[in-house]
């Protein structure tokens, strides 16, 4: 790719006047080897965990957790408005999905909110969806969520028993102002894929926190796919409950003019001999198209034998689009198998387009081939054929819209 860009702090208009304080309640992390944020260590460990929304200050872009966020588009949710547009959920008749009260002991067993909106969502959700996987499930468990406008709060629990296997798809469509939490418990020796699709209408706002706890010798593939919505923010957090855990975090997003897609993740390597791979790819087109990717990986002093690598690639298809990419890696032990990160943001390569056109491929098909090739590294890992077909069709539709 020709032109590389670096992330820069971008304070939203009016945020300096609203800023009250930074989140400094958590103790400072011990000194260690740190990449990202100019060598300043420990900042991405500074998190408060609480179910009480009042435990968190009003979010501002001076706080690390909300840096680059589309705060003006989210601010109406900070006051915890009354839910007036519940989502319509759907799933197959034989799917292992139950609706339970928020007092169910499985709710909150894995996830404790670490930002204001997550706490608001947990305090205002009246019920939770629980997906229970007790054995080997061959077909994907698809939970559809359709919004019809208004404010809504949600909570989803994925409970995977030891040695069980399954694929769970959370598919969001329609219009909504939606704040939610998802918690994923992966039992020892289990293997699960969880896919969250954000294919909203253009006016939707979706803010969601995902927390996963991965057991001994268990495997989790977590996939975030964002196409629609005015503002979408997904914040996955992964922790390990025992050694031998293997996690793959994949992301794919396509931002159009005026859209803001924000992914901020944390992989916390506290247990020994665990592995994580992160691969997020995004394409942007149109004036004001914006994406943010922040990848925090922490290897604690007890995380000996860790093997981790994270990468984010962004493709700018037009002028007027912007992608911020911030990888952070903190290593508090010298006994690691491997640890690294990479990030790049570049413009569409006109030389590749010329090469294909010179061989008789029309410009629109050549453009489609290049973008599909850019996404291929993530798409081929999804391994849900009907979902892959849908994703490729969506990419083609987005590109066709940009050429009309």
């Amino acid at each position: 790719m020709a032109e590389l860009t670096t992330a820069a702090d971008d304070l939203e208009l009016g945020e300096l006047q609203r800023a009250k304080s930074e989140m400094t309640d958590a103790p400072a992390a011990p000194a260690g080897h740190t990449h990202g944020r100019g060598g300043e260590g420990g900042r991405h460990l500074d998190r408060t965990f609480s179910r009480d929304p009042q435990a968190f200050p009003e979010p501002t872009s001076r706080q690390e957790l909300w840096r680059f966020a589309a705060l003006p588009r989210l601010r109406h949710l900070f006051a915890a408005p009354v839910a007036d547009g519940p989502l319509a959920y759907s799933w197959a008749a034989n799917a292992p999905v139950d609706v339970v009260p928020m007092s169910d002991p499985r709710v909150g067993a894995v996830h404790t909110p670490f930002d204001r909106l997550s706490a608001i969502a947990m305090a205002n959700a009246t019920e939770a969806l629980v997906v229970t996987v007790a054995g080997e499930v061959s077909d994907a468990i698809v939970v559809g969520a359709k919004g019809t406008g208004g404010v809504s709060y949600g909570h989803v629990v994925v409970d995977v028993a030891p040695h069980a296997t399954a694929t769970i798809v959370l598919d969001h469509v329609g219009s909504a102002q939606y704040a939610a939490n998802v918690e994923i418990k992966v039992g020892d020796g289990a293997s699960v894929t969880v896919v969250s699709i954000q294919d909203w209408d253009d006016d939707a706002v979706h803010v969601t926190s995902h927390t996963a706890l991965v057991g001994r010798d268990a495997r989790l593939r977590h996939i975030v796919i964002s196409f629609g919505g005015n503002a979408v923010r997904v914040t996955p957090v992964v922790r390990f409950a025992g050694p031998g855990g293997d996690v793959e975090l994949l992301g794919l997003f396509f931002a159009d003019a005026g859209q803001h897609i924000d992914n901020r993740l944390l992989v916390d390597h506290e247990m020994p001999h665990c592995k994580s791979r992160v691969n997020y790819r995004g394409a942007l087109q149109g004036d004001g198209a914006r994406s943010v990717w922040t990848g925090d990986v922490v290897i604690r002093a007890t995380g000996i034998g860790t093997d981790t690598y994270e990468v984010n690639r962004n493709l700018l298809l037009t002028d007027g689009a912007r992608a911020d990419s911030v990888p952070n890696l903190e290593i508090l032990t010298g006994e690691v198998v491997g640890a690294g990160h990479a990030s790049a943001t570049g413009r569409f390569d006109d030389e590749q387009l010329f090469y294909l056109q010179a061989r008789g491929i029309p410009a629109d098909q050549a453009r489609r081939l290049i973008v599909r090739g850019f996404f291929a590294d993530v798409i081929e890992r999804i391994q849900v054929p009907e979902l892959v077909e849908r994703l490729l069709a969506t990419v083609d539709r987005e590109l066709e819209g940009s050429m009309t």
Side-chain angles (χ1 to χ4, degrees), residues 58-83:
E58 181 81 7
T60 75
S61 56
R62 301 181 77 181
Q63 299 162 11
E64 175 57 29
L65 275 177
W66 296 100
R67 194 160 64 110
F68 303 120
L71 289 177
R73 309 185 196 190
L74 310 180
R75 191 161 299 283
H76 65 288
L77 291 173
F78 298 153
V82 175

Short mmCIF file of all heavy atoms in Angstrom, two decimals, residues 58-83:
data_model
loop_
_atom_site.label_atom_id
_atom_site.label_comp_id
_atom_site.label_asym_id
_atom_site.label_seq_id
_atom_site.Cartn_x
_atom_site.Cartn_y
_atom_site.Cartn_z
N GLU A 58 -18.68 10.85 33.58
CA GLU A 58 -19.22 11.13 32.26
C GLU A 58 -18.12 10.92 31.22
O GLU A 58 -17.04 11.49 31.32
CB GLU A 58 -19.72 12.58 32.20
CG GLU A 58 -20.33 12.99 30.89
CD GLU A 58 -21.79 12.54 30.73
OE1 GLU A 58 -22.35 12.03 31.71
OE2 GLU A 58 -22.33 12.71 29.64
N PRO A 59 -18.36 10.09 30.21
CA PRO A 59 -17.30 9.83 29.23
C PRO A 59 -16.88 11.08 28.47
O PRO A 59 -17.72 11.90 28.06
CB PRO A 59 -17.94 8.81 28.28
CG PRO A 59 -18.99 8.13 29.12
CD PRO A 59 -19.53 9.22 30.00
N THR A 60 -15.58 11.23 28.28
CA THR A 60 -15.02 12.28 27.45
C THR A 60 -13.88 11.66 26.64
O THR A 60 -13.33 10.61 26.99
CB THR A 60 -14.45 13.44 28.27
OG1 THR A 60 -13.20 13.04 28.86
CG2 THR A 60 -15.41 13.87 29.37
N SER A 61 -13.51 12.33 25.56
CA SER A 61 -12.45 11.79 24.72
C SER A 61 -11.07 11.97 25.34
O SER A 61 -10.07 11.54 24.75
CB SER A 61 -12.49 12.45 23.34
OG SER A 61 -12.41 13.85 23.46
N ARG A 62 -10.99 12.57 26.52
CA ARG A 62 -9.71 12.62 27.23
C ARG A 62 -9.48 11.35 28.04
O ARG A 62 -8.36 11.13 28.53
CB ARG A 62 -9.68 13.85 28.14
CG ARG A 62 -9.86 15.16 27.40
CD ARG A 62 -9.80 16.36 28.31
NE ARG A 62 -8.44 16.69 28.69
CZ ARG A 62 -8.14 17.69 29.50
NH1 ARG A 62 -9.09 18.42 30.03
NH2 ARG A 62 -6.87 17.95 29.79
N GLN A 63 -10.50 10.54 28.21
CA GLN A 63 -10.35 9.25 28.87
C GLN A 63 -9.92 8.21 27.84
O GLN A 63 -10.47 8.16 26.74
CB GLN A 63 -11.67 8.84 29.53
CG GLN A 63 -12.17 9.81 30.59
CD GLN A 63 -13.64 9.62 30.90
OE1 GLN A 63 -14.25 8.64 30.48
NE2 GLN A 63 -14.21 10.57 31.63
N GLU A 64 -8.96 7.39 28.21
CA GLU A 64 -8.39 6.45 27.24
C GLU A 64 -9.45 5.53 26.65
O GLU A 64 -9.45 5.23 25.44
CB GLU A 64 -7.29 5.63 27.91
CG GLU A 64 -6.70 4.54 27.03
CD GLU A 64 -6.12 5.07 25.72
OE1 GLU A 64 -5.67 6.23 25.68
OE2 GLU A 64 -6.12 4.31 24.74
N LEU A 65 -10.40 5.05 27.47
CA LEU A 65 -11.41 4.12 26.97
C LEU A 65 -12.30 4.75 25.91
O LEU A 65 -12.90 4.04 25.10
CB LEU A 65 -12.27 3.61 28.12
CG LEU A 65 -11.74 2.40 28.89
CD1 LEU A 65 -12.67 2.07 30.04
CD2 LEU A 65 -11.56 1.19 27.99
N TRP A 66 -12.43 6.08 25.91
CA TRP A 66 -13.34 6.75 24.99
C TRP A 66 -12.61 7.58 23.94
O TRP A 66 -13.24 8.32 23.19
CB TRP A 66 -14.33 7.63 25.76
CG TRP A 66 -15.21 6.82 26.65
CD1 TRP A 66 -15.07 6.62 27.99
CD2 TRP A 66 -16.36 6.06 26.25
NE1 TRP A 66 -16.07 5.79 28.46
CE2 TRP A 66 -16.88 5.44 27.42
CE3 TRP A 66 -17.02 5.86 25.03
CZ2 TRP A 66 -18.01 4.63 27.39
CZ3 TRP A 66 -18.14 5.06 25.01
CH2 TRP A 66 -18.63 4.45 26.18
N ARG A 67 -11.29 7.45 23.90
CA ARG A 67 -10.53 8.18 22.90
C ARG A 67 -10.94 7.72 21.51
O ARG A 67 -11.06 6.53 21.25
CB ARG A 67 -9.02 7.94 23.12
CG ARG A 67 -8.12 8.89 22.38
CD ARG A 67 -6.73 8.90 23.01
NE ARG A 67 -6.07 7.63 22.91
CZ ARG A 67 -5.00 7.39 22.13
NH1 ARG A 67 -4.52 8.33 21.37
NH2 ARG A 67 -4.45 6.20 22.13
N PHE A 68 -11.20 8.66 20.62
CA PHE A 68 -11.64 8.43 19.24
C PHE A 68 -13.11 8.03 19.12
O PHE A 68 -13.61 7.84 18.01
CB PHE A 68 -10.79 7.36 18.53
CG PHE A 68 -9.33 7.64 18.50
CD1 PHE A 68 -8.44 6.77 19.08
CD2 PHE A 68 -8.83 8.76 17.86
CE1 PHE A 68 -7.07 6.99 19.04
CE2 PHE A 68 -7.47 9.00 17.83
CZ PHE A 68 -6.58 8.12 18.41
N ALA A 69 -13.82 7.81 20.23
CA ALA A 69 -15.22 7.37 20.14
C ALA A 69 -16.10 8.49 19.58
O ALA A 69 -15.79 9.67 19.69
CB ALA A 69 -15.73 6.95 21.51
N ALA A 70 -17.22 8.09 18.99
CA ALA A 70 -18.19 9.05 18.42
C ALA A 70 -19.10 9.56 19.54
O ALA A 70 -20.32 9.34 19.54
CB ALA A 70 -19.00 8.40 17.32
N LEU A 71 -18.53 10.28 20.50
CA LEU A 71 -19.26 10.65 21.71
C LEU A 71 -20.52 11.49 21.44
O LEU A 71 -21.55 11.25 22.09
CB LEU A 71 -18.32 11.39 22.67
CG LEU A 71 -17.26 10.50 23.34
CD1 LEU A 71 -16.35 11.33 24.22
CD2 LEU A 71 -17.91 9.40 24.16
N PRO A 72 -20.50 12.47 20.53
CA PRO A 72 -21.75 13.20 20.29
C PRO A 72 -22.90 12.31 19.84
O PRO A 72 -24.07 12.60 20.15
CB PRO A 72 -21.36 14.20 19.19
CG PRO A 72 -19.90 14.41 19.38
CD PRO A 72 -19.38 13.06 19.79
N ARG A 73 -22.62 11.22 19.15
CA ARG A 73 -23.68 10.32 18.69
C ARG A 73 -24.15 9.37 19.79
O ARG A 73 -25.22 8.77 19.69
CB ARG A 73 -23.19 9.50 17.49
CG ARG A 73 -22.58 10.35 16.39
CD ARG A 73 -22.22 9.52 15.18
NE ARG A 73 -21.32 10.24 14.28
CZ ARG A 73 -21.00 9.84 13.06
NH1 ARG A 73 -21.52 8.72 12.58
NH2 ARG A 73 -20.17 10.54 12.32
N LEU A 74 -23.32 9.21 20.83
CA LEU A 74 -23.65 8.28 21.92
C LEU A 74 -24.18 8.99 23.16
O LEU A 74 -24.75 8.33 24.04
CB LEU A 74 -22.40 7.49 22.32
CG LEU A 74 -21.59 6.80 21.22
CD1 LEU A 74 -20.40 6.08 21.83
CD2 LEU A 74 -22.45 5.86 20.41
N ARG A 75 -24.02 10.31 23.21
CA ARG A 75 -24.24 11.02 24.47
C ARG A 75 -25.66 10.87 25.02
O ARG A 75 -25.88 10.84 26.23
CB ARG A 75 -23.88 12.50 24.30
CG ARG A 75 -23.84 13.27 25.61
CD ARG A 75 -23.06 14.54 25.47
NE ARG A 75 -21.69 14.31 25.10
CZ ARG A 75 -20.73 13.88 25.93
NH1 ARG A 75 -21.04 13.61 27.18
NH2 ARG A 75 -19.50 13.72 25.51
N HIS A 76 -26.65 10.73 24.15
CA HIS A 76 -28.02 10.61 24.65
C HIS A 76 -28.22 9.33 25.46
O HIS A 76 -29.11 9.26 26.31
CB HIS A 76 -29.02 10.64 23.48
CG HIS A 76 -28.90 9.49 22.54
ND1 HIS A 76 -27.84 9.35 21.66
CD2 HIS A 76 -29.68 8.40 22.34
CE1 HIS A 76 -27.98 8.24 20.97
NE2 HIS A 76 -29.09 7.64 21.36
N LEU A 77 -27.36 8.32 25.22
CA LEU A 77 -27.49 7.06 25.97
C LEU A 77 -26.85 7.15 27.35
O LEU A 77 -27.15 6.33 28.22
CB LEU A 77 -26.84 5.92 25.19
CG LEU A 77 -27.55 5.48 23.90
CD1 LEU A 77 -26.71 4.46 23.15
CD2 LEU A 77 -28.93 4.91 24.21
N PHE A 78 -25.96 8.14 27.57
CA PHE A 78 -25.28 8.24 28.86
C PHE A 78 -26.24 8.59 30.00
O PHE A 78 -25.93 8.35 31.16
CB PHE A 78 -24.17 9.29 28.80
CG PHE A 78 -23.07 8.97 27.82
CD1 PHE A 78 -22.32 9.99 27.25
CD2 PHE A 78 -22.79 7.67 27.48
CE1 PHE A 78 -21.31 9.70 26.34
CE2 PHE A 78 -21.79 7.37 26.58
CZ PHE A 78 -21.04 8.39 26.01
N ALA A 79 -27.39 9.16 29.66
CA ALA A 79 -28.37 9.52 30.69
C ALA A 79 -29.34 8.38 30.98
O ALA A 79 -30.31 8.57 31.72
CB ALA A 79 -29.14 10.76 30.25
N ALA A 80 -29.11 7.20 30.40
CA ALA A 80 -29.95 6.02 30.63
C ALA A 80 -31.41 6.29 30.32
O ALA A 80 -32.29 6.14 31.19
CB ALA A 80 -29.78 5.50 32.06
N PRO A 81 -31.73 6.66 29.07
CA PRO A 81 -33.13 6.91 28.74
C PRO A 81 -33.97 5.64 28.88
O PRO A 81 -33.47 4.53 28.79
CB PRO A 81 -33.06 7.37 27.28
CG PRO A 81 -31.80 6.77 26.75
CD PRO A 81 -30.85 6.79 27.90
N VAL A 82 -35.25 5.85 29.09
CA VAL A 82 -36.17 4.72 29.24
C VAL A 82 -36.26 3.96 27.92
O VAL A 82 -36.34 4.56 26.84
CB VAL A 82 -37.57 5.21 29.67
CG1 VAL A 82 -38.56 4.06 29.70
CG2 VAL A 82 -37.48 5.90 31.02
N ALA A 83 -36.24 2.64 27.99
CA ALA A 83 -36.36 1.82 26.79
C ALA A 83 -37.75 1.97 26.19
O ALA A 83 -38.75 1.76 26.89
CB ALA A 83 -36.07 0.36 27.12
#
